[in-house]
Amino acid sequence: MASLGTLSLVLDVYPLYKAEQRISYFSGGVLKVRSLKAENRQFSVSCGAGEEGFEVSSLQRKLVQKSFPQIAEEGEAGSSISSVQQELFDIHSSFNVHIDATEAKPSEIPFLGASRNFRDKSNELDGGLPDGKASVGDIGLLKQANLTPKSVAPPQESKLQVSEKYETEDVKLEDLIEPHAISLGFGNDLAPEEDNKPSLPLAGVNVMNILFVAAECGPWSKTGGLGDVAGALPKALARRGHRVMVVVPMYGDYPEPENTGVRKRYKVDGQDIEVSYYHAYIDGVDFVFLECSLFRHCQHNIYGGDRLEILKRMILFCKAAVEVPWHVPCGGVCYGDGNLVFIANDWHTALLPVYLKAYYRDHGVMKYARSVLVVHNIAHQGRGPVENFFHVDLPEQYLDLFKLYDPVGGDHFNIFAAGLKTADRVVTVSHGYAWELKTSEGGWGLHEIINHNDWKFRGIVNGIDTNDWNPKFDVYLQSDGYTNYSLKTLKTGKPKCKAALQKELSLPLRPKVPVIAFIGRLDHQKGVDLIGDAMPWIASQDVQLIMLGSGRPDLEDMLRRFQEQYHDKVRGWVGFSVKMAHRITAGADILLMPSRFEPCGLNQLYAMTYGTVPVVHAVGGLRDTVTQYDPFKETGHGWTFDRAEAGKLTNALGNCLNTYWNYESSWEGLQMRGMTQDLSWDNAAKIYEEVLVAAKYQW
Ligand SMILES: Nc1ncnc2c1ncn2[C@@H]1O[C@H](COP(=O)(O)OP(=O)(O)O[C@H]2O[C@H](CO)[C@@H](O)[C@H](O)[C@H]2O)[C@@H](O)[C@H]1O
């Protein structure tokens, strides 16, 4: 767009909320943007070199004053967007609006450009012109702006793309830029041409508004893998250029989010409950927290209370979450319901697709919003007696969606069943688990529904947050004798972490002894009882075993008992400690995951990233992500066993220990292969995007 020697200013107004991401638009070229903030309804950009800068809001204001005379002097730099601007932004909530100055000398004329990145179905059906001409709404806007439409041919590569540019005759760039900004090297500090080109979003024409709705989200609330996914996948989707919001209950006092001042009331079980909305913009994602009496003080017991209490919390959460895109402005602009897709997660939010359909889409509202339901764990389904249906406030005809026959209990109420039937697309977190869910053993009573809906069902393997879980930057490895390390410093860094871990847990400081770890919920799924069964054999080996977990009281007791019984080599840490999870992952040599079923599993991914070798039951996502070590070909990432039995576990673990003790270079190869995999969310986000696009065009 811009070329050497020309002045370039591309200000992406629409995604002000993600302007920080787009800073590269400016920084390599003639205008240096030093910071850009968009908070609530306020926005400001500072540009220029040194400490000086100018607020783009004044630039913005001048532009708006010239183009929209009816918008009088409103506010100071950085002040609230005026109501007309707000309206303008609302109108453009599904477009990108650019204020551009291209191929022009500073004295020449910039233009206000509006480009739509994709053809919005809603627009097409409601009379918009799919041929690249401005739609009715756009023309109105142009008139208001006194601008002349100038059609620009859609780019060759996509038939879906529609783009219009509008030029204004009377707005001069120097009128828009503060004088001192121009004097700060405008037009002098030139970078190579390619650096000046705005990088297009990776999602290209598929850019969407995405609302990720989950009952937990790390780091604020996390009981397991769902919290990790909610904290990381949305950021990866945002990196692809989507506008992404995470909607999550506010269980405690969190320092980051600020009260938006928006309040709404929703009925749950006949009672009006007020919800307040808090907002934080972090790493390109809008995090919206729902605060109300039902969620308050659940921080340490998110899924606590009796069945009806949990049900009511989730009813409220889903009712409120569906309307968040209407009510909660993020960076001053609500998401709106065009080009919108909800990603609901597990049974807790499986009511959302049902509400979206029953309350809105069936009545011609939110017609173009879609829903995708992600299955992280089918074992929890939101079951109850059929009478529970009357709590969810739906017309009688929806009862069949929820009613499911159980050979043991007969007809029952099942929220996951209704969500699976209603969502436009269903995803689960690995290919192996996608296959298992279709079997009577793996589907936990929902396999028939899943088979019936196979056409909209897909497995996508989870990724990991490579900022949080990276031995090179891990914040929990920066004290108490631990150290950050990478593949390059593995040979010194990891032993240091091992020693620090042994010291922290008062285990004998022995560099050569293999440290075996288990981290996870203490329940039937994770198979920690198999470690219990294998304990006599494990204790007979020259090893150290560290187990971290919480859950079933009998299994917690088992951990304590083993620590007492084998005090010279076993530690059982009962509790939930993110810090210890990181430190154990770094300090251990081997991670044991004998899960009976494992939809994906994240700990084995974290382990491999930290050069810790996994030994896993080859099931679900564990089978997808841990390939068996082959000593002849020197391939593979760890050891797998094919049945959840103590004997199989000890056999695999025995082979693993043999390699650790006797084949150092093979061990290093295992570590190296684990550490050099790309396990980031970026690959998965791309596939999620395909699913979202499929949902978008699903009728
Ligand atoms: N005591 C403790 N202290 C500190 N941290 C602890 C801990 N116990 C567990 N964790 C942490 O919680 C997370 C657990 O994630 P997993 O994916 O292994 O399992 P989970 O069964 O919760 O998730 C479900 O959803 C995820 C996400 O889709 C799937 O990967 C998985 O297979 C499915 O069962 C990890 O970050 C782990 O470190």
Side-chain angles (χ1 to χ4, degrees), residues 216 222-229 346 374-377 429 462 469 519-523 525-526 548-550 573-582 585 593 597-604 606 621 681:
E216 58 182 88
K222 166 173 160 176
T223 68
L226 174 57
D228 287 357
V229 175
D346 272 351
V374 184
V375 181
H376 298 268
N377 194 336
V429 291
N462 283 338
W469 286 93
I519 301 167
R521 276 183 289 111
L522 301 180
D523 65 7
Q525 175 188 345
K526 300 293 177 186
L548 166 66
S550 59
W573 182 302
V574 175
F576 196 93
S577 165
V578 174
K579 181 172 87 175
M580 280 319 294
H582 282 251
T585 305
M593 281 188 80
F597 67 95
E598 196 59 83
C600 178
L602 295 171
N603 285 323
Q604 82 280 11
Y606 299 147
W681 269 107

